[in-house]
Structures are given as structure tokens and as C-alpha cells.
Amino acid sequence: MSVPGAVVLSELLTSDMVPADTHSSCVHGSILSSGRNLKEWLQEQFCDKPLEQCEDMRLHNAAYVGDLDTIKSLLQEDSFKQRINEKSVWCCGWLPCTPLRIAATAGHGNCVDYLINHGAEVDLVDVKGQTALYVAVVNGHLDCVRILLEAGADPNGSRHHRSTPLYHAARVGRVDILQELIRFKADVDVDHQLGPRPLFSARTLSTLVVCPLYISAAYHHLHCFRLLLEAGANPDYNYTGPVSREALNRGLASCLLDAVLRHGCEPAFVRLLLEHGADPLLVPWEEPDPDAMGRVRVNPEALNIYQEARKRPNRLTDLCRVAIRQVMGKHRLRHISSLPLPDSIKNFLLHRDFCSLS
């Protein structure tokens, strides 16, 4: 059943969803032109071929319903082989995208695998800048995520979209998907699509929220939080660099440890940050200010752990572990298990020398 035009229009005009290279003025100008048909406009703006050459949607529709037999049959014809990467206006939603993107959204792993093996490009983006991997993650299809990653899909998604697969997995607490993305070297520190920005840009007061560690803590996903730290995420991450005094005056968090406390996270979050080298002195207060904290009440036990950490230095062994991991770099931490070292030392370096958190 077709999605109403108003819904599609609303999606396209949402700030996070507007196609990366489309200015809103152009969108409004085209959409509001009298007598324009929405489907026709989408076709004109984003599809690979004129409307009259894209009438046959059988391949796209087969991908939507997971009809592998029909896909196999159609791809025996040269005309459909040539269209395997075509961004047609899909008749079941009017969203111009490829058959692979459609199959990944619907979670048809067998179709995803077959399309890739017959020439589908894994990192093509739709009109929102989303790759097939990103929509597979958003819709929670672990099998499709694995197939796409093994086929060479970029684990960080597309630079034309404002989020990454890993960031979304951290936000919704999908540890299994997060593990696969990390295994294929996804960036664990930052939603890198935002790119470097000037110090005084409009983003400087809110950039902590682009950090996967931050979003996993904000939603209290402890296992995702721990997994990201074990994979080398920076426990003192602050995208703007030096702490912004203006941000502090507005009650915004200065660093991850500050944010974890402000969100009322349980003690395990604070312990993990400190064990991975977070500096408690970056938090610009010792006692919480009720006026600055808003409605959230700092967890008393977490607060006590933080206050104790400010008073006494870390153990030498913990400092050595942090230093060794920093020298190795986050992209080489996964090789620790294969080093010719006693298991006790490898477990120590991997932060697996403590009881499992629940």
C-alpha cells in the first residue's frame, strides 16, 4: 500500500532526513510548484532514469517481499542485470532506492546475499544518505548486517548521512550488532560524519551528544558502554576540545564523566570510565548543583566513587594498563588476545580481570 504523499514530504523536509546535497529552498520550491506530482518530482530529482524508463518495478517489489525466486528469474535477463543498482521510485513507498537497500530494510538476508553476489553495490546511498548497512542496523536485522559487512560494506555508513550504524546500535542497546560493527573496525569514538568544525561554530555547545559512549550512557545501555570502552573509545572524549565555560554556565556536561553523573547513571558507568583512564578532575564540580542538574538526581553511590577518585591517584598497575592501551591504539587492541603473553596479563589489558557486570 502506498505511503501518503504528505508523509513522504514530511520525511524529506525533516532536518536529519533532507538529502545531503539538497538545499531546503530548492526542495520547497520544487514541491510547491503548482501542479507537480510528488512521485514525479522524486523521480526527477533522485532517480537514475526518466520515469518512462522505470515503469517495471518487479525487481524492487520482489526485494521488498523477499521473493528470491523472482529475483533469480529476473536477473537472468540482461535488462534487469543492468538495473540491479537502479534507484527507482519504489511503488511501495515512493522512496528512490536500490533493490539491495529495500531488501536490507525488510530483513531478507537471502535476497541481500544474492543481490550482492550478482553485482549490487553495497555502499550506494538512498535519498537520505543512508546505506543498506545503516537501514539494516536501524531495523535490527543482524543477519543482513553480517552479510553486508562481510561483503565489504563501510562499517561507518555514508558521509552523506548525519549518523552512523554504530551510533544507532549504541543508542538502542543492540550489543550483538555493536559487536559485529566493532569486529569490522567501525569508529567507536565519534559520529564522524559531522567532521571537524571551527571552535566557535553553532555545534560547539552540544557536540558531546555525537559520541557513541555518551548516547549509550544517556540511554543507560551498560553493556554497550562497556563494549565501546573495551574497543578503545576515549573515556575523556570531548569533541570541542577545551571545556567551554559558556557551556558550563548553561548547565551542559563538560566531558563524559560529567555527563554520566548528570544522567543519574548507576555506579558501574563511573567505575568503567575511571578504570579506562577518565580524568575525574575534568568535571568542574565536586558537589552537584541542584540548579544545574535539572530534574535528574545524581546516583549517590556513583557520586561517592567519583569523589573518592578526585582525592586519590589511580593504582600504578591501572595507569600502566591505560598507557599500554593508548600506545597500541584502538585499532590494534583486538590483537591483544594473540600476543605471546600469559592469559592473566592479556585479560588484564582487555579489562576482563573483573566480574561480569549485570
Side-chain angles (χ1 to χ4, degrees), residues 192-225:
H192 70 287
Q193 319 312 346
L194 294 178
R197 294 179 181 272
L199 181 61
F200 298 107
S201 74
R203 294 269 182 186
T204 57
L205 299 183
S206 60
T207 48
L208 188 61
V209 299
V210 307
C211 176
L213 264 181
Y214 170 85
I215 203 66
S216 64
Y219 284 89
H220 295 253
H221 297 311
L222 178 59
H223 290 289
C224 290
F225 190 79

Side-chain angles (χ1 to χ4, degrees), residues 146-163:
R146 285 174 174 157
I147 292 168
L148 288 160
L149 288 170
E150 289 169 0
D154 187 336
N156 294 312
S158 166
R159 299 192 68 83
H160 299 289
H161 191 57
R162 297 188 179 185
S163 186

Side-chain angles (χ1 to χ4, degrees), residues 70-118:
T70 296
I71 292 175
K72 289 179 178 179
S73 176
L74 291 174
L75 289 180
Q76 291 177 4
E77 303 176 23
D78 288 339
S79 61
F80 281 101
K81 287 180 183 178
Q82 296 171 1
R83 296 178 56 193
I84 194 169
N85 292 311
E86 184 179 280
K87 297 177 185 177
S88 294
V89 172
W90 170 37
C91 66
C92 295
W94 294 4
L95 181 64
C97 52
T98 64
L100 180 64
R101 154 67 164 86
I102 294 170
T105 302
H108 303 307
N110 55 349
C111 296
V112 168
D113 187 53
Y114 190 85
L115 287 165
I116 291 173
N117 290 332
H118 285 76

Side-chain angles (χ1 to χ4, degrees), residues 12-48:
L12 285 172
L13 297 181
T14 302
S15 59
D16 285 351
M17 302 302 186
V18 174
D21 300 321
T22 302
H23 296 292
S24 59
S25 59
C26 296
V27 174
H28 284 282
S30 296
I31 287 291
L32 298 179
S33 296
S34 59
R36 293 306 303 274
N37 175 278
L38 178 60
K39 182 174 180 180
E40 181 182 317
W41 179 84
L42 287 169
Q43 183 75 43
E44 177 185 297
Q45 295 292 320
F46 303 112
C47 297
D48 300 323

Side-chain angles (χ1 to χ4, degrees), residues 178-190:
L178 202 60
Q179 287 173 326
E180 289 299 310
L181 292 168
I182 289 173
R183 184 163 70 94
F184 283 87
K185 303 180 182 179
D187 188 344
V188 296
D189 265 324
V190 59

